[in-house]
Short mmCIF file of all heavy atoms in Angstrom, two decimals:
data_model
loop_
_atom_site.label_atom_id
_atom_site.label_comp_id
_atom_site.label_asym_id
_atom_site.label_seq_id
_atom_site.Cartn_x
_atom_site.Cartn_y
_atom_site.Cartn_z
N LEU A 30 14.55 4.95 -3.13
CA LEU A 30 13.36 4.14 -3.38
C LEU A 30 13.80 2.95 -4.22
O LEU A 30 14.12 3.10 -5.40
CB LEU A 30 12.29 4.96 -4.11
CG LEU A 30 11.01 4.23 -4.51
CD1 LEU A 30 10.27 3.73 -3.29
CD2 LEU A 30 10.11 5.14 -5.34
N VAL A 31 13.83 1.77 -3.61
CA VAL A 31 14.43 0.60 -4.25
C VAL A 31 13.50 -0.60 -4.12
O VAL A 31 13.00 -0.89 -3.03
CB VAL A 31 15.81 0.25 -3.63
CG1 VAL A 31 16.40 -0.97 -4.30
CG2 VAL A 31 16.75 1.44 -3.73
N ALA A 32 13.29 -1.29 -5.22
CA ALA A 32 12.54 -2.55 -5.24
C ALA A 32 13.45 -3.61 -5.83
O ALA A 32 13.86 -3.50 -6.99
CB ALA A 32 11.26 -2.41 -6.03
N ALA A 33 13.77 -4.64 -5.05
CA ALA A 33 14.67 -5.69 -5.51
C ALA A 33 14.47 -6.93 -4.66
O ALA A 33 14.05 -6.85 -3.50
CB ALA A 33 16.12 -5.23 -5.46
N GLU A 34 14.80 -8.07 -5.24
CA GLU A 34 14.72 -9.31 -4.46
C GLU A 34 15.86 -9.38 -3.46
O GLU A 34 15.67 -9.84 -2.32
CB GLU A 34 14.76 -10.51 -5.41
CG GLU A 34 14.57 -11.84 -4.70
CD GLU A 34 14.49 -13.00 -5.67
OE1 GLU A 34 14.17 -12.77 -6.85
OE2 GLU A 34 14.75 -14.15 -5.24
N ASN A 35 17.04 -8.91 -3.87
CA ASN A 35 18.21 -8.95 -2.99
C ASN A 35 18.88 -7.58 -2.99
O ASN A 35 19.15 -7.02 -4.07
CB ASN A 35 19.21 -10.01 -3.45
CG ASN A 35 18.61 -11.41 -3.47
OD1 ASN A 35 18.45 -12.03 -2.43
ND2 ASN A 35 18.24 -11.88 -4.66
N ILE A 36 19.15 -7.04 -1.81
CA ILE A 36 19.79 -5.74 -1.67
C ILE A 36 21.01 -5.87 -0.77
O ILE A 36 20.94 -6.48 0.31
CB ILE A 36 18.83 -4.69 -1.07
CG1 ILE A 36 17.65 -4.45 -2.02
CG2 ILE A 36 19.56 -3.37 -0.80
CD1 ILE A 36 16.62 -3.46 -1.46
N LEU A 37 22.13 -5.29 -1.23
CA LEU A 37 23.32 -5.15 -0.40
C LEU A 37 23.60 -3.67 -0.24
O LEU A 37 23.81 -2.96 -1.23
CB LEU A 37 24.52 -5.85 -1.03
CG LEU A 37 25.88 -5.57 -0.37
CD1 LEU A 37 25.89 -6.07 1.08
CD2 LEU A 37 27.03 -6.19 -1.16
N LEU A 38 23.59 -3.18 1.00
CA LEU A 38 23.85 -1.78 1.30
C LEU A 38 25.13 -1.67 2.10
O LEU A 38 25.22 -2.19 3.22
CB LEU A 38 22.68 -1.17 2.08
CG LEU A 38 22.87 0.27 2.57
CD1 LEU A 38 23.01 1.23 1.39
CD2 LEU A 38 21.70 0.70 3.46
N THR A 39 26.12 -0.99 1.51
CA THR A 39 27.37 -0.74 2.23
C THR A 39 27.63 0.74 2.40
O THR A 39 28.55 1.12 3.12
CB THR A 39 28.56 -1.38 1.49
OG1 THR A 39 28.71 -0.74 0.21
CG2 THR A 39 28.34 -2.87 1.28
N GLY A 40 26.86 1.59 1.73
CA GLY A 40 27.04 3.03 1.81
C GLY A 40 26.07 3.67 2.79
O GLY A 40 25.39 3.01 3.58
N VAL A 41 25.98 5.00 2.69
CA VAL A 41 25.15 5.79 3.59
C VAL A 41 24.04 6.45 2.79
O VAL A 41 24.29 7.06 1.75
CB VAL A 41 25.98 6.87 4.32
CG1 VAL A 41 25.09 7.76 5.18
CG2 VAL A 41 27.07 6.22 5.15
N ILE A 42 22.80 6.32 3.26
CA ILE A 42 21.65 6.99 2.68
C ILE A 42 21.30 8.15 3.60
O ILE A 42 20.90 7.94 4.75
CB ILE A 42 20.45 6.04 2.52
CG1 ILE A 42 20.83 4.88 1.58
CG2 ILE A 42 19.24 6.79 1.99
CD1 ILE A 42 19.75 3.83 1.43
N ALA A 43 21.45 9.37 3.12
CA ALA A 43 21.30 10.55 3.97
C ALA A 43 19.84 10.83 4.33
O ALA A 43 19.56 11.42 5.37
CB ALA A 43 21.91 11.78 3.29
N GLY A 44 18.90 10.42 3.47
CA GLY A 44 17.49 10.69 3.73
C GLY A 44 16.74 9.42 4.08
O GLY A 44 17.29 8.47 4.63
N ASP A 45 15.45 9.42 3.76
CA ASP A 45 14.62 8.25 4.01
C ASP A 45 14.91 7.16 2.98
O ASP A 45 15.36 7.45 1.86
CB ASP A 45 13.14 8.62 3.95
CG ASP A 45 12.75 9.60 5.05
OD1 ASP A 45 13.46 9.65 6.07
OD2 ASP A 45 11.74 10.32 4.88
N ALA A 46 14.60 5.93 3.34
CA ALA A 46 14.76 4.80 2.43
C ALA A 46 13.49 3.98 2.42
O ALA A 46 12.99 3.59 3.48
CB ALA A 46 15.95 3.94 2.84
N SER A 47 12.96 3.75 1.24
CA SER A 47 11.80 2.90 1.05
C SER A 47 12.25 1.68 0.26
O SER A 47 12.57 1.79 -0.92
CB SER A 47 10.68 3.65 0.32
OG SER A 47 9.54 2.84 0.16
N LEU A 48 12.30 0.52 0.93
CA LEU A 48 12.87 -0.68 0.34
C LEU A 48 11.84 -1.80 0.29
O LEU A 48 11.28 -2.18 1.32
CB LEU A 48 14.09 -1.15 1.14
CG LEU A 48 15.17 -0.11 1.43
CD1 LEU A 48 16.29 -0.74 2.26
CD2 LEU A 48 15.72 0.48 0.15
N ALA A 49 11.56 -2.29 -0.90
CA ALA A 49 10.73 -3.48 -1.09
C ALA A 49 11.68 -4.62 -1.44
O ALA A 49 12.29 -4.63 -2.51
CB ALA A 49 9.72 -3.26 -2.20
N VAL A 50 11.82 -5.61 -0.54
CA VAL A 50 12.91 -6.56 -0.66
C VAL A 50 12.54 -7.88 -0.02
O VAL A 50 11.70 -7.94 0.90
CB VAL A 50 14.18 -5.96 0.01
CG1 VAL A 50 13.95 -5.74 1.50
CG2 VAL A 50 15.39 -6.84 -0.22
N ASP A 51 13.19 -8.96 -0.49
CA ASP A 51 13.06 -10.27 0.15
C ASP A 51 14.24 -10.54 1.07
O ASP A 51 14.07 -11.04 2.18
CB ASP A 51 12.98 -11.37 -0.91
CG ASP A 51 11.66 -11.34 -1.67
OD1 ASP A 51 10.68 -10.81 -1.12
OD2 ASP A 51 11.62 -11.84 -2.81
N ASN A 52 15.45 -10.22 0.59
CA ASN A 52 16.66 -10.45 1.38
C ASN A 52 17.52 -9.19 1.33
O ASN A 52 17.73 -8.62 0.26
CB ASN A 52 17.47 -11.63 0.81
CG ASN A 52 16.64 -12.90 0.74
OD1 ASN A 52 16.30 -13.48 1.75
ND2 ASN A 52 16.31 -13.32 -0.49
N ILE A 53 18.02 -8.78 2.50
CA ILE A 53 18.84 -7.57 2.56
C ILE A 53 20.02 -7.83 3.49
O ILE A 53 19.88 -8.48 4.53
CB ILE A 53 18.02 -6.35 3.04
CG1 ILE A 53 18.86 -5.08 2.96
CG2 ILE A 53 17.44 -6.56 4.42
CD1 ILE A 53 18.06 -3.81 3.16
N SER A 54 21.20 -7.34 3.09
CA SER A 54 22.40 -7.46 3.92
C SER A 54 23.12 -6.12 3.93
O SER A 54 22.89 -5.26 3.06
CB SER A 54 23.32 -8.56 3.39
OG SER A 54 23.62 -8.36 2.01
N PHE A 55 24.00 -5.94 4.91
CA PHE A 55 24.62 -4.64 5.13
C PHE A 55 26.12 -4.78 5.34
O PHE A 55 26.61 -5.79 5.89
CB PHE A 55 24.01 -3.95 6.36
CG PHE A 55 22.53 -3.76 6.29
CD1 PHE A 55 21.67 -4.72 6.82
CD2 PHE A 55 21.99 -2.65 5.67
CE1 PHE A 55 20.29 -4.55 6.75
CE2 PHE A 55 20.62 -2.47 5.60
CZ PHE A 55 19.77 -3.43 6.14
N GLY A 56 26.86 -3.75 4.89
CA GLY A 56 28.27 -3.65 5.17
C GLY A 56 28.51 -2.98 6.51
O GLY A 56 27.58 -2.45 7.15
N ASP A 57 29.78 -2.95 6.95
CA ASP A 57 30.11 -2.38 8.26
C ASP A 57 29.80 -0.89 8.33
O ASP A 57 29.45 -0.38 9.40
CB ASP A 57 31.59 -2.62 8.57
CG ASP A 57 31.92 -4.10 8.72
OD1 ASP A 57 30.98 -4.87 9.04
OD2 ASP A 57 33.08 -4.48 8.51
N ALA A 58 29.93 -0.18 7.20
CA ALA A 58 29.72 1.28 7.20
C ALA A 58 28.32 1.67 6.75
O ALA A 58 28.03 2.86 6.59
CB ALA A 58 30.77 1.94 6.31
N ALA A 59 27.44 0.72 6.55
CA ALA A 59 26.09 1.03 6.06
C ALA A 59 25.31 1.82 7.10
O ALA A 59 25.38 1.52 8.31
CB ALA A 59 25.36 -0.26 5.70
N ARG A 60 24.55 2.80 6.62
CA ARG A 60 23.76 3.62 7.55
C ARG A 60 22.62 4.30 6.79
O ARG A 60 22.78 4.69 5.64
CB ARG A 60 24.64 4.68 8.22
CG ARG A 60 23.96 5.38 9.39
CD ARG A 60 24.90 6.34 10.10
NE ARG A 60 25.07 7.59 9.34
CZ ARG A 60 26.20 7.96 8.76
NH1 ARG A 60 27.27 7.18 8.84
NH2 ARG A 60 26.27 9.10 8.11
#
């Protein structure tokens, strides 16, 4: 559960994800 203006996700989230965000980017292994 994440609230941020900018999010970078490069890891793995095993469960659900609730994201409040303006800009989001992902790494190659993000899932």
Side-chain angles (χ1 to χ4, degrees):
L30 177 63
V31 180
E34 185 175 338
N35 300 283
I36 296 178
L37 170 62
L38 175 64
T39 64
V41 176
I42 299 176
D45 296 337
S47 181
L48 308 179
V50 62
D51 289 337
N52 303 291
I53 186 169
S54 54
F55 303 93
D57 295 336
R60 192 175 77 247

